[in-house]
PDB file of all heavy atoms in Angstrom:
ATOM      1  N   TYR U   3       1.856   5.154   0.523  1.00 87.00           N
ATOM      2  CA  TYR U   3       1.554   6.237   1.453  1.00 87.00           C
ATOM      3  C   TYR U   3       0.996   7.421   0.671  1.00 87.00           C
ATOM      4  O   TYR U   3       1.592   7.864  -0.308  1.00 87.00           O
ATOM      5  CB  TYR U   3       2.830   6.634   2.196  1.00 87.00           C
ATOM      6  CG  TYR U   3       2.671   7.791   3.147  1.00 87.00           C
ATOM      7  CD1 TYR U   3       1.823   7.701   4.240  1.00 87.00           C
ATOM      8  CD2 TYR U   3       3.362   8.969   2.955  1.00 87.00           C
ATOM      9  CE1 TYR U   3       1.684   8.752   5.127  1.00 87.00           C
ATOM     10  CE2 TYR U   3       3.241  10.022   3.835  1.00 87.00           C
ATOM     11  CZ  TYR U   3       2.400   9.911   4.917  1.00 87.00           C
ATOM     12  OH  TYR U   3       2.259  10.964   5.788  1.00 87.00           O
ATOM     13  N   ASN U   5      -0.445  10.352   2.395  1.00 86.00           N
ATOM     14  CA  ASN U   5      -0.392  11.563   3.215  1.00 86.00           C
ATOM     15  C   ASN U   5      -1.756  12.245   3.349  1.00 86.00           C
ATOM     16  O   ASN U   5      -1.852  13.460   3.358  1.00 86.00           O
ATOM     17  CB  ASN U   5       0.652  12.541   2.662  1.00 86.00           C
ATOM     18  CG  ASN U   5       1.026  13.604   3.675  1.00 86.00           C
ATOM     19  OD1 ASN U   5       0.789  13.461   4.864  1.00 86.00           O
ATOM     20  ND2 ASN U   5       1.610  14.682   3.211  1.00 86.00           N
ATOM     21  N   LYS U   6      -2.812  11.448   3.460  1.00 86.00           N
ATOM     22  CA  LYS U   6      -4.158  12.015   3.597  1.00 86.00           C
ATOM     23  C   LYS U   6      -4.337  12.771   4.912  1.00 86.00           C
ATOM     24  O   LYS U   6      -5.132  13.692   4.982  1.00 86.00           O
ATOM     25  CB  LYS U   6      -5.201  10.911   3.474  1.00 86.00           C
ATOM     26  CG  LYS U   6      -5.303  10.372   2.074  1.00 86.00           C
ATOM     27  CD  LYS U   6      -6.374   9.327   1.975  1.00 86.00           C
ATOM     28  CE  LYS U   6      -6.439   8.796   0.549  1.00 86.00           C
ATOM     29  NZ  LYS U   6      -7.476   7.785   0.413  1.00 86.00           N
ATOM     30  N   ASP U   7      -3.591  12.383   5.934  1.00 87.00           N
ATOM     31  CA  ASP U   7      -3.703  13.046   7.234  1.00 87.00           C
ATOM     32  C   ASP U   7      -2.833  14.295   7.341  1.00 87.00           C
ATOM     33  O   ASP U   7      -2.841  14.979   8.353  1.00 87.00           O
ATOM     34  CB  ASP U   7      -3.363  12.074   8.361  1.00 87.00           C
ATOM     35  CG  ASP U   7      -1.983  11.464   8.226  1.00 87.00           C
ATOM     36  OD1 ASP U   7      -1.227  11.857   7.311  1.00 87.00           O
ATOM     37  OD2 ASP U   7      -1.659  10.580   9.035  1.00 87.00           O
ATOM     38  N   ARG U   8      -2.060  14.591   6.287  1.00 84.00           N
ATOM     39  CA  ARG U   8      -1.210  15.778   6.189  1.00 84.00           C
ATOM     40  C   ARG U   8      -0.135  15.827   7.275  1.00 84.00           C
ATOM     41  O   ARG U   8       0.299  16.889   7.683  1.00 84.00           O
ATOM     42  CB  ARG U   8      -2.045  17.053   6.200  1.00 84.00           C
ATOM     43  CG  ARG U   8      -2.996  17.141   5.034  1.00 84.00           C
ATOM     44  CD  ARG U   8      -3.847  18.386   5.039  1.00 84.00           C
ATOM     45  NE  ARG U   8      -3.071  19.614   4.994  1.00 84.00           N
ATOM     46  CZ  ARG U   8      -2.623  20.203   3.893  1.00 84.00           C
ATOM     47  NH1 ARG U   8      -2.868  19.683   2.726  1.00 84.00           N
ATOM     48  NH2 ARG U   8      -1.940  21.329   3.957  1.00 84.00           N
ATOM     49  N   LYS U   9       0.328  14.671   7.739  1.00 88.00           N
ATOM     50  CA  LYS U   9       1.387  14.621   8.748  1.00 88.00           C
ATOM     51  C   LYS U   9       2.774  14.550   8.127  1.00 88.00           C
ATOM     52  O   LYS U   9       3.765  14.695   8.820  1.00 88.00           O
ATOM     53  CB  LYS U   9       1.174  13.430   9.676  1.00 88.00           C
ATOM     54  CG  LYS U   9      -0.027  13.595  10.567  1.00 88.00           C
ATOM     55  CD  LYS U   9      -0.127  12.454  11.537  1.00 88.00           C
ATOM     56  CE  LYS U   9      -1.341  12.613  12.427  1.00 88.00           C
ATOM     57  NZ  LYS U   9      -1.515  11.483  13.332  1.00 88.00           N
ATOM     58  N   CYS U  10       2.864  14.293   6.830  1.00 88.00           N
ATOM     59  CA  CYS U  10       4.143  14.258   6.105  1.00 88.00           C
ATOM     60  C   CYS U  10       5.152  13.347   6.799  1.00 88.00           C
ATOM     61  O   CYS U  10       6.208  13.779   7.221  1.00 88.00           O
ATOM     62  CB  CYS U  10       4.706  15.661   5.928  1.00 88.00           C
ATOM     63  SG  CYS U  10       3.593  16.779   5.081  1.00 88.00           S
ATOM     64  N   GLU U  11       4.819  12.080   6.910  1.00 92.00           N
ATOM     65  CA  GLU U  11       5.673  11.103   7.566  1.00 92.00           C
ATOM     66  C   GLU U  11       6.618  10.472   6.537  1.00 92.00           C
ATOM     67  O   GLU U  11       6.270   9.525   5.852  1.00 92.00           O
ATOM     68  CB  GLU U  11       4.822  10.050   8.253  1.00 92.00           C
ATOM     69  CG  GLU U  11       3.959  10.661   9.335  1.00 92.00           C
ATOM     70  CD  GLU U  11       2.947   9.706   9.908  1.00 92.00           C
ATOM     71  OE1 GLU U  11       2.036   9.290   9.173  1.00 92.00           O
ATOM     72  OE2 GLU U  11       3.085   9.379  11.097  1.00 92.00           O
ATOM     73  N   CYS U  12       7.817  11.015   6.448  1.00 92.00           N
ATOM     74  CA  CYS U  12       8.777  10.612   5.422  1.00 92.00           C
ATOM     75  C   CYS U  12       9.152   9.137   5.502  1.00 92.00           C
ATOM     76  O   CYS U  12       9.430   8.513   4.485  1.00 92.00           O
ATOM     77  CB  CYS U  12      10.034  11.459   5.504  1.00 92.00           C
ATOM     78  SG  CYS U  12       9.743  13.209   5.164  1.00 92.00           S
ATOM     79  N   HIS U  13       9.165   8.568   6.693  1.00 93.00           N
ATOM     80  CA  HIS U  13       9.545   7.164   6.831  1.00 93.00           C
ATOM     81  C   HIS U  13       8.531   6.222   6.189  1.00 93.00           C
ATOM     82  O   HIS U  13       8.841   5.077   5.907  1.00 93.00           O
ATOM     83  CB  HIS U  13       9.761   6.794   8.301  1.00 93.00           C
ATOM     84  CG  HIS U  13       8.536   6.871   9.142  1.00 93.00           C
ATOM     85  ND1 HIS U  13       8.064   8.068   9.642  1.00 93.00           N
ATOM     86  CD2 HIS U  13       7.673   5.919   9.549  1.00 93.00           C
ATOM     87  CE1 HIS U  13       6.967   7.821  10.347  1.00 93.00           C
ATOM     88  NE2 HIS U  13       6.706   6.536  10.298  1.00 93.00           N
ATOM     89  N   LYS U  14       7.331   6.704   5.900  1.00 93.00           N
ATOM     90  CA  LYS U  14       6.300   5.899   5.243  1.00 93.00           C
ATOM     91  C   LYS U  14       6.248   6.134   3.728  1.00 93.00           C
ATOM     92  O   LYS U  14       5.634   5.380   3.009  1.00 93.00           O
ATOM     93  CB  LYS U  14       4.918   6.241   5.803  1.00 93.00           C
ATOM     94  CG  LYS U  14       4.729   5.857   7.246  1.00 93.00           C
ATOM     95  CD  LYS U  14       3.325   6.197   7.685  1.00 93.00           C
ATOM     96  CE  LYS U  14       3.073   5.842   9.124  1.00 93.00           C
ATOM     97  NZ  LYS U  14       1.699   6.198   9.523  1.00 93.00           N
ATOM     98  N   ARG U  29       8.593  20.564   4.737  1.00 91.00           N
ATOM     99  CA  ARG U  29       7.640  19.616   4.160  1.00 91.00           C
ATOM    100  C   ARG U  29       6.283  19.673   4.843  1.00 91.00           C
ATOM    101  O   ARG U  29       5.267  19.368   4.238  1.00 91.00           O
ATOM    102  CB  ARG U  29       8.189  18.191   4.253  1.00 91.00           C
ATOM    103  CG  ARG U  29       8.044  17.590   5.634  1.00 91.00           C
ATOM    104  CD  ARG U  29       8.686  16.231   5.752  1.00 91.00           C
ATOM    105  NE  ARG U  29       8.383  15.589   6.997  1.00 91.00           N
ATOM    106  CZ  ARG U  29       8.951  15.856   8.158  1.00 91.00           C
ATOM    107  NH1 ARG U  29       9.865  16.787   8.240  1.00 91.00           N
ATOM    108  NH2 ARG U  29       8.609  15.222   9.248  1.00 91.00           N
ATOM    109  N   LEU U  30       6.248  20.088   6.106  1.00 89.00           N
ATOM    110  CA  LEU U  30       5.007  20.097   6.873  1.00 89.00           C
ATOM    111  C   LEU U  30       4.021  21.119   6.323  1.00 89.00           C
ATOM    112  O   LEU U  30       4.405  22.145   5.774  1.00 89.00           O
ATOM    113  CB  LEU U  30       5.294  20.397   8.342  1.00 89.00           C
ATOM    114  CG  LEU U  30       6.188  19.381   9.053  1.00 89.00           C
ATOM    115  CD1 LEU U  30       6.498  19.864  10.459  1.00 89.00           C
ATOM    116  CD2 LEU U  30       5.558  18.005   9.077  1.00 89.00           C
ATOM    117  N   GLY U  31       2.745  20.825   6.500  1.00 86.00           N
ATOM    118  CA  GLY U  31       1.702  21.735   6.051  1.00 86.00           C
ATOM    119  C   GLY U  31       1.741  23.065   6.789  1.00 86.00           C
ATOM    120  O   GLY U  31       2.293  23.164   7.890  1.00 86.00           O
ATOM    121  N   GLU U  33      -0.542  24.552   8.311  1.00 86.00           N
ATOM    122  CA  GLU U  33      -1.270  24.490   9.585  1.00 86.00           C
ATOM    123  C   GLU U  33      -0.376  23.965  10.704  1.00 86.00           C
ATOM    124  O   GLU U  33      -0.668  24.143  11.870  1.00 86.00           O
ATOM    125  CB  GLU U  33      -2.534  23.632   9.457  1.00 86.00           C
ATOM    126  CG  GLU U  33      -2.296  22.169   9.163  1.00 86.00           C
ATOM    127  CD  GLU U  33      -2.112  21.845   7.689  1.00 86.00           C
ATOM    128  OE1 GLU U  33      -2.183  22.745   6.827  1.00 86.00           O
ATOM    129  OE2 GLU U  33      -1.892  20.670   7.392  1.00 86.00           O
ATOM    130  N   GLN U  34       0.752  23.342  10.353  1.00 87.00           N
ATOM    131  CA  GLN U  34       1.715  22.836  11.334  1.00 87.00           C
ATOM    132  C   GLN U  34       2.936  23.738  11.429  1.00 87.00           C
ATOM    133  O   GLN U  34       3.903  23.395  12.090  1.00 87.00           O
ATOM    134  CB  GLN U  34       2.153  21.420  10.950  1.00 87.00           C
ATOM    135  CG  GLN U  34       1.032  20.421  11.017  1.00 87.00           C
ATOM    136  CD  GLN U  34       1.461  19.076  10.473  1.00 87.00           C
ATOM    137  OE1 GLN U  34       1.736  18.963   9.286  1.00 87.00           O
ATOM    138  NE2 GLN U  34       1.541  18.099  11.338  1.00 87.00           N
ATOM    139  N   CYS U  40       5.698  19.309   0.850  1.00 89.00           N
ATOM    140  CA  CYS U  40       5.582  17.870   0.594  1.00 89.00           C
ATOM    141  C   CYS U  40       4.832  17.649  -0.720  1.00 89.00           C
ATOM    142  O   CYS U  40       3.760  18.198  -0.938  1.00 89.00           O
ATOM    143  CB  CYS U  40       4.844  17.183   1.733  1.00 89.00           C
ATOM    144  SG  CYS U  40       4.569  15.414   1.456  1.00 89.00           S
ATOM    145  N   LEU U  43       1.091  16.516  -0.581  1.00 85.00           N
ATOM    146  CA  LEU U  43       0.001  17.376  -0.127  1.00 85.00           C
ATOM    147  C   LEU U  43      -0.873  17.721  -1.326  1.00 85.00           C
ATOM    148  O   LEU U  43      -0.372  17.906  -2.439  1.00 85.00           O
ATOM    149  CB  LEU U  43       0.540  18.653   0.518  1.00 85.00           C
ATOM    150  CG  LEU U  43       1.246  18.469   1.864  1.00 85.00           C
ATOM    151  CD1 LEU U  43       1.869  19.792   2.298  1.00 85.00           C
ATOM    152  CD2 LEU U  43       0.300  17.956   2.917  1.00 85.00           C
TER     153      LEU U  43
END
Side-chain angles (χ1 to χ4, degrees):
Y3 177 63
N5 196 18
K6 290 182 181 180
D7 57 5
R8 298 179 60 86
K9 291 185 180 177
C10 303
E11 298 171 294
C12 296
H13 65 280
K14 294 182 180 179
R29 78 185 188 282
L30 299 175
E33 65 275 359
Q34 295 173 294
C40 177
L43 291 173

